[in-house]
Amino acid sequence: MTLVVRILLLCLLMGGFSATALQAAPVSGYEPVAGRQVIEKTFPEVTRYQPLEENRAIQALYAGEKLKGYVYQSLDFVQTPAYSGKPVNAVVVLDPEGKIRAARVIEHHEPILLVGIPERKLHEFTDQYVGLKADQKVTVGGTSNERKVAVDGVSGATVTVMVINEVLMRTAHRVGVELGVIEGGASSRPPMAQIRSDGFQPRTWEELTGNGAVRRLRLTRGQVDDAFLGTPAEGIDEASQAEREDTLIDLYATYLDVPTIGRNLLGENQYRRLKAELKPGEHAIAVMANGDYSFKGSGYVRGGIFDRIQIRQFGDTFNFRDLDYYRLSDVYAEGMPDFNEMAIFIIRQQYNFDPGTPWTLELTVKRQTGPLDSEFQVFPLEYQLPDTYYTRPEPVVTEEEWLESQPMWVQVWYQKQFQITVLGVGIAVLLFILFFQDWLVRKPRMMRWIRHGFLVYTLVFIGWYALGQLSIVNVLTFVNSLISGFSWETFLIDPIIFVLWAVVAGIVLLWGRAVYCGWLCPFGALQELLNEIARKLKIPQYTVPFAWHERLWAIKYIILLVLFGVSLEAMGTAEQMAEVEPFKTAITLHFARSWPFVLYAVALLVVNLFTRKVYCRYLCPLGAALALPTKLRVFDWLKRRKECGNPCRLCDKECEVQAIHPDGRINYMECHYCLDCQMTYFDDHKCPPLIVKRRGKRRGHNAPGHPEQIPVAQVE
């Protein structure tokens, strides 16, 4: 058994050792006591927790009878997927003023945090939120200003901490609004709609109701009886079977400020007087009804409130008082029916009413269940002013405000514009190399400089800077999502990985696995560059015997099958076993890990100094996964001659990854597309058939009757 094979077996044992270390490593997950520990650390004086009646997911914290704050878990409010495709869960403690007093992630499935970055880093990140108000704008990275607070991210887990930031602040804002400790809703309002003062057109009652300018709510006695079923008022004042279809109230409502509505209903003079009385920011609506039930109510008295109707908009409600009420007796719209009750109500300025936004007129029906007890049911009349009657200015938002309103993946893509642009340029350069390879390989010196320069770009920029190292975990996650529920957002959350996978998918179909493994894999680039340095330093190189080489191929496919099988049952376990890939250690975390992982990665790189890309050729499950569809590739652009393999074995001997069989065939499932064989193919000072041809031309031996001969190298 050769030295290289022995070293390879040693690496396999070390890989198994790393996997064992992984199984022993603590895995972050939900612990029932985690939330209690956070509370005890934040408010050690708390003696009891009390779920709120309005939302039992929120618990009030009391020290004796004194309210100290509130606690909740984020998963009860949002389920934003993180890098793993699964949501994170955090415990958040708010004080009665709406400030965050504690925030701690208690459950996550992020591979980089499960095995890689210490949990301490994550806790240090969430500790930055202590003292922030629930309605503050918080961003990861950047500079704090009067509009936002910037917190420091975690190197190597940028996407994950951006998701955690969104989860913490979205839930804090939502809970704060629900508790009433911060204001909510106003910031989401559109610019105020402006009523068109021109364009009056005569309209009949039928036309006004037909285009939605006048809206209707008809309630039968049976409908109201059904609404009280299951309440103490069930059976009280209940209609007989014959009366169930009788109308209790036939209610109409409309917005009067619009000239086409107001002038047609009120007439020119009455409309003008009404508009003259309205102050800036005030609005008028008309309410009309027939039926046995009065929307004004028999209990109404001067100075009181109309308790049977109210307006709801933007989640706010407001009632009308006696000074808001105007009698309406004369109406003029053609075809308008007679009504038992008609009234004009004024919506005052302080309610900030927006006529262009949908609003609801809520009618309350009350039934007496005792001398002092009553039951209420509310019936809504929905109103939306037709858009032909108003205009709304376009909202003026800054670029930063626009970005804050976008989904998380859009924000990440926006923040990584530079990386995406440079990656796009690099991919364009690679495509140029591929499409013009026949021209480039005729200039071997230039081609080698181009290749080595691109490998440096792949290692330094794609790998160490942009963290664009693809992994078998990506493949397993994709397959798992197809089974459990596919979501584009899961994959769009990391733009570099998404763009690379999109490009790799196309490259595999066109050229096979070779181009990614030989040009775009950062760890592969690291191995090749180190091996080139080793050759310059005259470090001896060892070749695996071809018989052993063919059998060792199978290892990476076995690893792939094991990982795939485990992922179907336990994705988290498969992610840990995928540490057979040294990518996270050598590329993502820059070797800043515990010693078993670093030792494993360094051992692979040391072996690589003597035999190029041992890991890629025999252990890489990602390479195995990409090799499987290689047989479906469209292009076979690597040229061969009939002399290749017999009698010429030059390319076979020179291929550093031994992808050329002794018979001269190129095994595309093992090829890394380094183009060395193509440089030889076009070099008439190196390729034996071309050497013979060139010499024959020079000596005139290319005439008929002088068969060409090529040098025959001894095959070991």
Side-chain angles (χ1 to χ4, degrees):
M1 188 181 296
T2 67
L3 174 63
V4 173
V5 174
R6 292 172 182 170
I7 296 177
L8 178 59
L9 292 176
L10 176 62
C11 288
L12 280 172
L13 291 173
M14 294 181 67
F17 174 71
S18 296
T20 304
L22 281 172
Q23 297 299 330
V27 178
S28 175
Y30 173 67
E31 300 176 9
V33 298
R36 190 180 310 120
Q37 291 173 346
V38 174
I39 296 168
E40 290 173 353
K41 182 177 179 181
T42 308
F43 293 121
E45 67 272 25
V46 166
T47 56
R48 63 186 175 95
Y49 313 150
Q50 182 175 320
L52 300 185
E53 289 296 330
E54 302 82 9
N55 189 338
R56 299 187 67 82
I58 306 171
Q59 297 191 65
L61 307 176
Y62 289 92
E65 296 301 318
K66 184 179 180 181
L67 176 65
K68 300 296 294 184
Y70 305 91
V71 65
Y72 65 88
Q73 292 188 24
S74 63
L75 205 58
D76 291 325
F77 296 91
V78 298
Q79 292 82 38
T80 305
Y83 183 80
S84 63
K86 299 176 182 178
V88 299
N89 191 19
V91 168
V92 181
V93 179
L94 299 178
D95 66 17
E97 286 73 45
K99 287 185 178 180
I100 297 174
R101 295 296 304 273
R104 181 62 57 96
V105 174
I106 60 172
E107 181 183 15
H108 69 77
H109 303 272
E110 302 301 278
I112 194 66
L113 294 173
L114 288 173
V115 188
I117 297 174
E119 288 287 308
R120 170 181 53 82
K121 294 282 189 180
L122 180 60
H123 298 329
E124 290 174 356
F125 172 76
T126 55
D127 286 345
Q128 297 176 88
Y129 291 80
V130 175
L132 299 182
K133 197 81 185 299
D135 57 356
Q136 284 186 273
K137 299 290 185 183
V138 181
T139 62
V140 178
T143 306
S144 300
N145 55 39
E146 65 277 0
R147 287 196 65 257
K148 68 175 185 179
V149 175
V151 296
D152 296 329
V154 177
S155 179
T158 304
V159 173
T160 298
V161 296
M162 287 182 69
V163 172
I164 293 173
N165 171 65
E166 182 183 19
V167 167
L168 293 179
M169 297 314 299
R170 277 184 60 189
T171 57
H173 186 272
R174 179 172 169 180
V175 172
V177 170
E178 192 167 332
L179 294 172
V181 296
I182 62 171
E183 296 181 359
S187 60
S188 62
R189 291 192 178 196
M192 187 69 70
Q194 304 296 322
I195 299 301
R196 294 181 182 272
S197 58
D198 55 353
F200 167 77
Q201 293 179 328
R203 289 286 185 266
T204 64
W205 176 258
E206 183 178 0
E207 290 172 329
L208 291 174
T209 55
N211 69 6
V214 178
R215 301 294 175 104
R216 180 188 187 190
L217 171 67
R218 178 177 177 269
L219 292 177
T220 64
R221 297 191 64 180
Q223 286 176 309
V224 175
D225 289 341
D226 292 343
F228 283 100
L229 291 176
T231 72
E234 180 180 352
I236 298 177
D237 295 333
E238 192 171 44
S240 65
Q241 190 63 36
E243 297 173 331
R244 282 183 59 83
E245 295 302 319
D246 292 351
T247 298
L248 180 68
I249 185 170
D250 194 7
L251 185 69
Y252 292 82
T254 189
Y255 179 74
L256 292 174
D257 290 40
V258 176
T260 298
I261 302 174
R263 285 172 60 182
N264 279 301
L265 287 181
L266 305 180
E268 182 66 38
N269 292 333
Q270 191 173 196
Y271 176 76
R272 189 168 55 249
R273 288 197 299 272
L274 174 65
K275 291 291 290 182
E277 292 190 25
L278 291 177
K279 298 176 182 178
E282 294 184 338
H283 307 265
I285 64 170
V287 182
M288 302 151 284
N290 280 320
D292 298 332
Y293 192 76
S294 169
F295 65 78
K296 289 189 288 187
S298 57
Y300 167 74
V301 295
R302 180 170 293 279
I305 295 176
F306 291 89
D307 61 354
R308 292 191 176 183
I309 59 172
Q310 66 178 7
I311 299 291
R312 180 182 296 273
Q313 188 181 61
F314 294 115
D316 301 323
T317 60
F318 46 89
N319 299 91
F320 298 108
R321 306 185 71 88
D322 61 334
L323 296 179
D324 305 324
Y325 164 69
Y326 285 73
R327 290 181 55 192
L328 176 60
S329 54
D330 298 325
V331 288
Y332 299 93
E334 180 183 344
M336 185 173 179
D338 294 331
F339 289 105
N340 297 341
E341 282 185 312
M342 295 190 297
I344 295 175
F345 292 99
I346 307 301
I347 302 173
R348 300 301 179 184
Q349 182 183 22
Q350 66 265 28
Y351 300 123
N352 201 25
F353 181 78
D354 183 358
T357 298
W359 52 274
T360 303
L361 177 68
E362 295 182 340
L363 175 71
T364 301
V365 178
K366 180 177 71 172
R367 284 188 174 174
Q368 203 77 22
T369 57
L372 300 176
D373 299 321
S374 302
E375 286 291 323
F376 301 89
Q377 291 294 335
V378 176
F379 300 90
L381 186 156
E382 307 287 346
Y383 190 92
Q384 169 65 69
L385 185 67
D387 55 14
T388 55
Y389 295 140
Y390 69 90
T391 61
R392 193 187 297 278
E394 289 294 326
V396 179
V397 295
T398 64
E399 185 178 30
E400 189 175 3
E401 291 171 334
W402 172 84
L403 187 61
E404 291 171 355
S405 67
Q406 300 305 305
M408 172 59 63
W409 70 268
V410 175
Q411 297 181 39
V412 177
W413 281 66
Y414 186 87
Q415 292 185 9
K416 294 197 173 184
Q417 290 180 83
F418 171 74
Q419 292 96 317
I420 296 170
T421 301
V422 177
L423 177 61
V425 171
I427 291 169
V429 170
L430 177 58
L431 291 175
F432 175 84
I433 294 170
L434 294 174
F435 279 99
F436 293 93
Q437 65 182 48
D438 288 352
W439 174 72
L440 290 170
V441 295
R442 295 173 190 267
K443 302 171 174 57
R445 183 182 296 273
M446 181 181 74
M447 184 62 212
R448 287 192 175 89
W449 275 104
I450 291 174
R451 175 159 175 78
H452 292 157
F454 198 93
L455 291 177
V456 171
Y457 158 82
T458 296
L459 173 62
V460 176
F461 176 78
I462 296 181
W464 285 337
Y465 178 75
L467 304 181
Q469 173 69 67
L470 301 188
S471 166
I472 190 60
V473 173
N474 305 137
V475 178
L476 300 178
T477 301
F478 178 76
V479 174
N480 191 264
S481 72
L482 294 178
I483 298 172
S484 60
F486 182 81
S487 171
W488 277 110
E489 187 174 351
T490 300
F491 301 95
L492 288 167
I493 199 70
D494 191 327
I496 300 300
I497 297 297
F498 181 85
V499 171
L500 277 171
W501 270 116
V503 171
V504 169
I507 283 176
V508 168
L509 291 177
L510 294 177
W511 290 281
R513 159 211 181 180
V515 175
Y516 172 75
C517 294
W519 293 84
L520 288 174
C521 177
F523 189 73
L526 175 60
Q527 291 180 94
E528 185 162 341
L529 291 171
L530 287 176
N531 186 263
E532 287 291 332
I533 294 172
R535 290 167 184 267
K536 294 291 184 183
L537 298 176
K538 306 300 182 180
I539 293 177
Q541 300 296 301
Y542 298 93
T543 301
V544 180
F546 195 81
W548 277 99
H549 175 62
E550 279 191 304
R551 287 155 179 78
L552 291 173
W553 284 344
I555 298 175
K556 61 177 176 286
Y557 295 100
I558 294 171
I559 294 173
L560 173 64
L561 288 174
V562 170
L563 290 175
F564 177 72
V566 172
S567 72
L568 297 178
E569 181 65 27
M571 186 63 192
T573 303
E575 290 171 350
Q576 296 174 54
M577 293 176 64
E579 283 294 327
V580 69
E581 296 179 324
F583 305 156
K584 191 184 297 180
T585 300
I587 304 300
T588 307
L589 298 176
H590 307 155
F591 294 96
R593 297 190 76 181
S594 57
W595 70 266
F597 302 104
V598 175
L599 182 60
Y600 172 59
V602 169
L604 290 172
L605 294 174
V606 169
V607 173
N608 170 76
L609 297 177
F610 301 93
T611 301
R612 180 172 290 190
K613 289 189 169 182
V614 168
Y615 171 79
C616 300
R617 293 155 65 183
Y618 306 129
L619 300 178
C620 182
L622 177 62
L626 296 179
L628 294 177
T630 293
K631 289 185 177 295
L632 303 175
R633 70 190 182 281
V634 175
F635 301 137
D636 286 332
W637 285 359
L638 300 182
K639 294 177 170 56
R640 310 301 291 146
R641 301 184 189 278
K642 66 178 185 290
E643 296 89 354
C644 294
N646 184 22
C648 182
R649 297 283 303 278
L650 181 60
C651 292
D652 163 22
K653 294 296 183 181
E654 287 188 337
C655 182
E656 302 295 348
V657 295
Q658 296 177 265
I660 301 179
H661 285 244
D663 62 6
R665 290 182 299 108
I666 296 177
N667 184 347
Y668 278 86
M669 296 180 71
E670 300 301 322
C671 175
H672 287 194
Y673 222 86
C674 64
L675 298 178
D676 283 353
C677 63
Q678 298 304 288
M679 286 185 274
T680 299
Y681 180 92
F682 287 103
D683 190 343
D684 61 2
H685 288 80
K686 189 174 183 182
C687 178
L690 290 184
I691 293 174
V692 170
K693 188 174 182 180
R694 177 174 54 82
R695 290 174 179 174
K697 285 182 178 180
R698 187 173 60 195
R699 298 172 182 174
H701 289 172
N702 57 335
H706 293 273
E708 296 182 0
Q709 297 179 353
I710 65 173
V712 178
Q714 182 178 355
V715 179
E716 296 179 1

